[in-house]
Amino acid sequence: MCEACFRIRFQTYCIDNGFEDPASRPDGLERDEFDSHSVHSILTHNATGDAIGTVRLVLPDQDGWRRALPIQRVASALVTDRTAPFPIMRTAEISRFSIVKSFRNYVPDRGFEARLSSDEWRKILIHLPLGLIKSCVEMSAREEMSHWAAVMEPALLRLLTRLGIHFNPLGSLVEHHGRRQPCWTDVGTMLDRVHAERPDVWNVITDGGELWPQSGNGTFENLARHRESTTKPSRQGGVDEFRPVP
């Protein structure tokens, strides 16, 4: 399953956008040193079964050993134990947030999708990132991560903001595969705000509160109590499957 994630990343990072040199990855898999301490998710199109997106959460430790987050390479002075506005050892970084370009040209020809108008189908495409955000919520709950860091395209941040998902900027824009904004958020507080602003989005990305209950005060302890009877999976190499969100 991880290989499918790496193939999507090769398509989006090496072929679609040219961020990485495809010749340096002759096996068609885009991987790096952060994958050893990451958990991964894949986004699957329900109608065709095609894998169309992926995201990973880079974790701050691996089997008890502290590991760096990618954001510390591009905003090193802002992300130290002393300067970071979030608890580093409870912070996972959203990374390799990818949806293949070819899916944007997909023409539905079966099932309920074929009955949608072009405007309705366009709205589904716009909301595809919610499937990846949902996977980040579930993986964070499983890994007991209370905060997210990220280095995101401003356009993606604007889209997420319209959906009620707010990140806090961390410093100025940086050059990293184009202009990117280092940012962070407290997951519980962010989800409480989503619940207040966009309850429809909150229902999707928390699975109606099953993945991360609405706490009213954003405390991570409420989540821990909610999930205290669940079994925690292995951190490295784990993959969750999610469907695109209509």
Side-chain angles (χ1 to χ4, degrees):
M1 293 297 292
C2 278
E3 183 171 308
C5 298
F6 300 150
R7 289 195 182 282
I8 292 173
R9 283 164 43 177
F10 179 83
Q11 180 64 41
T12 56
Y13 273 73
C14 300
I15 305 301
D16 292 348
N17 295 293
F19 294 149
E20 306 288 347
D21 180 11
S24 67
R25 294 164 173 81
D27 58 359
L29 305 177
E30 196 282 316
R31 293 172 287 194
D32 64 23
E33 67 272 27
F34 296 107
D35 288 314
S36 66
H37 53 287
S38 298
V39 285
H40 307 262
S41 177
I42 194 165
L43 185 65
T44 305
H45 182 217
N46 192 28
T48 63
D50 293 340
I52 61 171
T54 188
V55 67
R56 70 180 176 187
L57 282 184
V58 183
L59 303 173
D61 73 273
Q62 179 183 11
D63 298 328
W65 293 89
R66 185 162 181 169
R67 294 290 184 261
L69 299 176
I71 194 173
Q72 292 174 304
R73 285 188 173 178
V74 299
S76 57
L78 300 174
V79 189
T80 67
D81 289 341
R82 184 175 59 84
T83 61
F86 46 79
I88 291 180
M89 296 308 293
R90 278 288 184 90
T91 299
E93 181 165 347
I94 297 176
S95 176
R96 292 304 195 255
F97 194 98
S98 309
I99 297 174
V100 296
K101 279 187 176 180
S102 60
F103 189 72
R104 300 173 193 172
N105 300 320
Y106 170 75
V107 178
D109 60 359
R110 68 188 76 175
F112 87 95
E113 292 177 349
R115 299 190 294 271
L116 298 176
S117 68
S118 58
D119 285 343
E120 289 171 329
W121 178 244
R122 191 177 302 111
K123 288 179 181 178
I124 288 180
L125 294 180
I126 291 173
H127 287 74
L128 280 177
L130 289 184
L132 297 180
I133 292 293
K134 177 181 179 180
S135 69
C136 290
V137 171
E138 178 159 4
M139 291 188 293
S140 296
R142 289 178 177 177
E143 299 300 330
E144 300 181 358
M145 295 289 110
S146 61
H147 291 68
W148 289 341
V151 182
M152 288 191 179
E153 289 182 90
L156 177 57
L157 282 173
R158 289 193 295 270
L159 171 61
L160 294 177
T161 297
R162 290 198 297 272
L163 295 170
I165 301 169
H166 298 271
F167 282 78
N168 307 299
L170 185 63
S172 304
L173 291 170
V174 298
E175 187 65 33
H176 179 68
H177 297 151
R179 301 290 280 172
R180 298 291 187 269
Q181 177 63 62
C183 54
W184 68 279
T185 192
D186 177 312
V187 180
T189 300
M190 177 271 293
L191 289 173
D192 283 348
R193 186 171 178 182
V194 176
H195 186 271
E197 295 182 7
R198 291 292 303 269
D200 56 327
V201 171
W202 180 87
N203 274 321
V204 169
I205 64 177
T206 69
D207 198 14
E210 288 298 313
L211 303 181
W212 196 299
Q214 201 275 327
S215 66
N217 58 13
T219 60
F220 188 66
E221 288 72 17
N222 283 351
L223 173 68
R225 286 194 293 270
H226 177 74
R227 301 186 63 87
E228 63 184 0
S229 62
T230 62
T231 301
K232 183 179 173 184
S234 171
R235 285 190 169 192
Q236 278 64 52
V239 179
D240 295 304
E241 288 193 274
F242 292 86
R243 305 294 186 184
V245 180

